[in-house]
């Protein structure tokens, strides 16, 4: 069956939501990874966190909305992916919770040890969750051990690849039949390394864009080196994925070429010291990279690495047309609101900062007086 107009619209909307998350939260994760790398003292670490302070929680909206849209528009896609990648996604969730806690709780107690613990947890979770997101996206490109069938007495019984339609009509479902470690292959591990490298560059460019003085120069110098490394790793991974795993290599080559041009342009502009243009070129490259990833599996929601007959197509994964219609009405109303306040927040907090803007006093309660309910400087 061919994709309907509404199914295509919702597939595109889900891609747009993932573009929002990858591009915006990308510099948030990159900033977290650099939290223990670039700053020389606590003031600079506070400066680093202040650059993302007004934005990180708003950026998470795109992840929640992308997951919710997938659940409502393509429930079979959501069910197969989230059940099959359950342990990996729980780990991602735990790391995101740790990161959020580290951002929120760092300044609650006036103690250098307290702040250092949360900074280490923040940075470590940013490194790990970025790697895991890269592995997850690479699995979408490569395909996973997905089969159609059913479980009988705890044992999976696969359907005949030549009779998938009749098996599905008889109640068979798509399952990811291998465990957590089946998600780790040379290609997917390289995907994790690639996203780490890209986010390090994205974060460094963001810090150079948002700060002044010596710190801005250090961030820019880091970006000059990391941009060359990340561009090289991305080229290897993307070409490997396009010609080894893409359903339609010539179609997916278009967004891949656009991403490559933007990445190379960003690296060249970074070397010339123009962090503003470099950041927006890198932003565009990440957006095109997301389009490339989704273009590699064509009209499929999930690809099977076992047999293409087991692919979960968008049509098979789709909700009903009335559901798509009702959701589209809600999207027309609320998506512009989300985009509007996102743009407003970045314009409102667009000024550069420096350590001179960071007060000498530390916020938080005095650790020795907490039990006495005596507030330190807040």
């Amino acid at each position: 069956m061919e994709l309907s107009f509404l199914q295509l619209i919702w597939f595109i909307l889900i891609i747009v939501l993932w573009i929002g998350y990858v591009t915006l939260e990308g510099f948030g994760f990159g900033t977290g990874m650099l939290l223990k790398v670039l700053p020389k003292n606590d003031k600079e670490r506070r400066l680093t966190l202040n650059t993302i302070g007004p934005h990180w929680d708003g950026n998470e909206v795109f992840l929640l909305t992308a997951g919710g849209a997938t659940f409502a528009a393509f429930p079979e896609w959501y069910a197969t992916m989230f059940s099959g990648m359950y342990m990996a996604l729980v780990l991602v969730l735990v790391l995101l919770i740790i990161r959020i806690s580290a951002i929120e709780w760092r300044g609650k107690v006036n103690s250098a040890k307290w702040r250092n613990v949360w900074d280490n947890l923040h940075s470590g979770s940013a490194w790990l969750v970025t790697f895991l997101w890269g592995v997850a996206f690479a699995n979408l490109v490569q395909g996973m051990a997905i089969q159609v069938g059913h479980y009988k007495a705890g044992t999976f019984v696969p359907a005949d690849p030549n009779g998938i339609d009749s098996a599905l009509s008889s109640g068979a479902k798509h399952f990811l039949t291998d465990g957590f470690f089946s998600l780790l292959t040379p290609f997917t591990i390289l995907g994790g390394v690639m996203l780490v490298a890209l986010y390090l560059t994205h974060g460094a460019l963001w810090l150079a864009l948002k700060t002044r003085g010596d710190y801005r120069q250090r961030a820019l110098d880091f970006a000059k080196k990391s941009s060359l490394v990340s561009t090289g790793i991305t080229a290897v991974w993307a070409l490997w994925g396009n010609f080894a795993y893409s359903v339609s290599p010539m179609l997916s080559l278009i967004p891949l070429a656009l991403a490559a041009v933007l990445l190379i342009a960003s690296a060249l502009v970074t070397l010339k010291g123009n962090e503003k243009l470099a950041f927006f070129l890198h932003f565009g490259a990440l957006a095109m990279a997301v389009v490339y990833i989704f273009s590699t599996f064509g009209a499929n929601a999930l690809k099977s690495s076992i047999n293409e007959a087991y692919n979960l197509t968008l049509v098979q994964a789709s909700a009903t047309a009335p559901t798509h219609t009702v959701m589209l009405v809600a999207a027309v109303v609320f998506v512009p609101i989300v985009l509007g306040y996102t743009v407003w927040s970045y314009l409102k907090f667009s000024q550069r900062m420096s350590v001179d803007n960071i007060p000498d006093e530390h916020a938080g309660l005095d650790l020795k007086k907490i039990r006495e309910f005596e507030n330190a400087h807040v």
Side-chain angles (χ1 to χ4, degrees):
M1 293 178 64
E2 294 292 327
L3 273 176
S4 70
F5 175 74
L6 285 171
Q7 289 168 341
L8 179 60
I9 287 295
W10 272 104
F11 183 56
I12 292 172
L13 283 174
I14 289 171
I15 295 173
V16 170
L17 291 169
W18 276 111
I19 287 174
Y21 182 69
V22 168
T23 53
L24 295 176
E25 196 67 316
F27 64 74
F29 288 131
T31 298
M33 287 190 283
L34 293 169
L35 185 61
K36 303 292 287 187
V37 177
L38 284 181
K40 294 181 178 179
N41 51 52
D42 189 68
K43 265 197 171 185
E44 290 189 346
R45 282 189 285 275
R46 290 163 71 187
L47 172 64
T48 301
L49 291 171
N50 282 353
T51 66
I52 62 170
H55 309 300
W56 68 266
D57 49 354
N59 295 340
E60 292 289 342
V61 170
F62 286 94
L63 174 62
L64 297 174
T65 311
T70 304
F71 171 76
F74 300 100
E76 190 74 14
W77 183 3
Y78 181 95
T80 304
M81 182 169 60
F82 276 71
S83 61
M85 302 173 75
Y86 183 78
M87 291 305 299
L89 291 170
V90 166
L91 182 55
V92 166
L93 180 60
V94 170
L95 291 169
L96 290 176
I97 292 172
I98 291 173
R99 173 175 175 262
I100 291 167
S101 300
I103 293 173
E104 291 292 335
W105 293 355
R106 181 187 193 273
K108 300 303 183 185
V109 175
N110 188 1
S111 163
K113 183 178 180 180
W114 172 274
R115 291 190 293 271
N116 189 54
V117 167
W118 286 114
D119 286 346
N120 286 331
L121 287 171
H122 181 177
S123 187
S125 63
W127 281 88
L128 285 172
V129 79
T130 299
F131 176 79
L132 289 173
W133 276 130
V135 170
F137 286 126
N139 269 283
L140 294 178
V141 175
Q142 175 188 261
M144 295 174 283
I146 292 172
Q147 292 177 276
V148 174
H150 64 276
Y151 279 91
K152 184 176 182 179
T155 301
F156 182 74
V157 181
D160 182 355
N162 296 316
I164 295 301
D165 290 339
S166 60
L168 290 172
S169 62
S170 300
K173 299 291 183 182
H174 290 82
F175 293 96
L176 179 60
T177 52
D178 283 351
F180 173 81
F181 290 103
S182 70
L183 303 175
L184 300 175
T185 67
F187 178 74
T188 62
I189 290 172
L190 182 60
V193 173
M194 172 206 66
L195 196 61
V196 166
L198 285 172
Y199 276 6
L200 281 171
T201 302
H202 207 44
L205 288 171
W206 169 257
L207 290 172
L209 179 65
K210 291 294 293 180
T211 59
R212 301 191 303 267
D214 177 64
Y215 192 71
R216 173 247 174 204
Q217 189 58 51
R218 268 184 281 140
L220 184 57
D221 289 342
F222 185 94
K224 288 177 181 179
K225 298 173 184 176
S226 64
S227 62
L228 298 176
V229 175
S230 61
T231 300
I233 295 174
T234 303
V236 173
W237 179 84
L239 289 172
W240 183 358
N242 194 66
F243 294 108
Y245 301 116
S246 178
V247 171
S248 180
M250 296 310 297
L251 176 64
S252 54
L253 191 61
I254 298 172
L256 174 57
L258 291 172
V261 169
L262 290 167
L263 268 183
I264 293 170
S266 177
L268 292 175
V269 172
T270 301
L271 292 174
K272 292 183 178 181
N274 186 343
E275 69 271 12
K276 184 174 184 178
L277 180 57
F279 175 79
F280 286 108
L281 287 169
H282 204 265
F283 190 99
L286 287 175
M288 283 298 102
V290 174
V291 176
Y292 159 72
I293 288 169
F294 280 86
S295 70
T296 59
F297 43 92
N300 299 302
L302 294 171
K303 293 193 305 179
S304 172
S305 59
I306 296 174
N307 190 316
E308 66 178 15
Y310 292 139
N311 288 352
L312 174 62
T313 68
L314 289 169
V315 173
Q316 292 168 342
S318 179
T320 62
T323 300
H324 285 166
T325 302
V326 172
M327 287 173 57
L328 190 59
V329 173
V332 168
V333 174
F334 291 108
V335 169
I337 294 175
V338 172
L339 295 177
Y341 79 65
T342 299
V343 172
W344 175 86
S345 69
Y346 281 95
L347 292 175
K348 188 69 174 179
F349 298 97
S350 60
Q351 298 299 312
R352 291 178 183 262
M353 296 176 286
S354 74
V355 290
D356 296 332
N357 302 119
I358 306 299
D360 293 328
E361 301 85 359
H362 284 289
L365 298 173
D366 187 329
L367 192 59
K368 296 178 181 179
K369 297 181 179 180
I370 288 177
R371 293 186 180 277
E372 302 173 18
F373 299 98
E374 295 182 22
N375 290 345
H377 177 79
V378 179

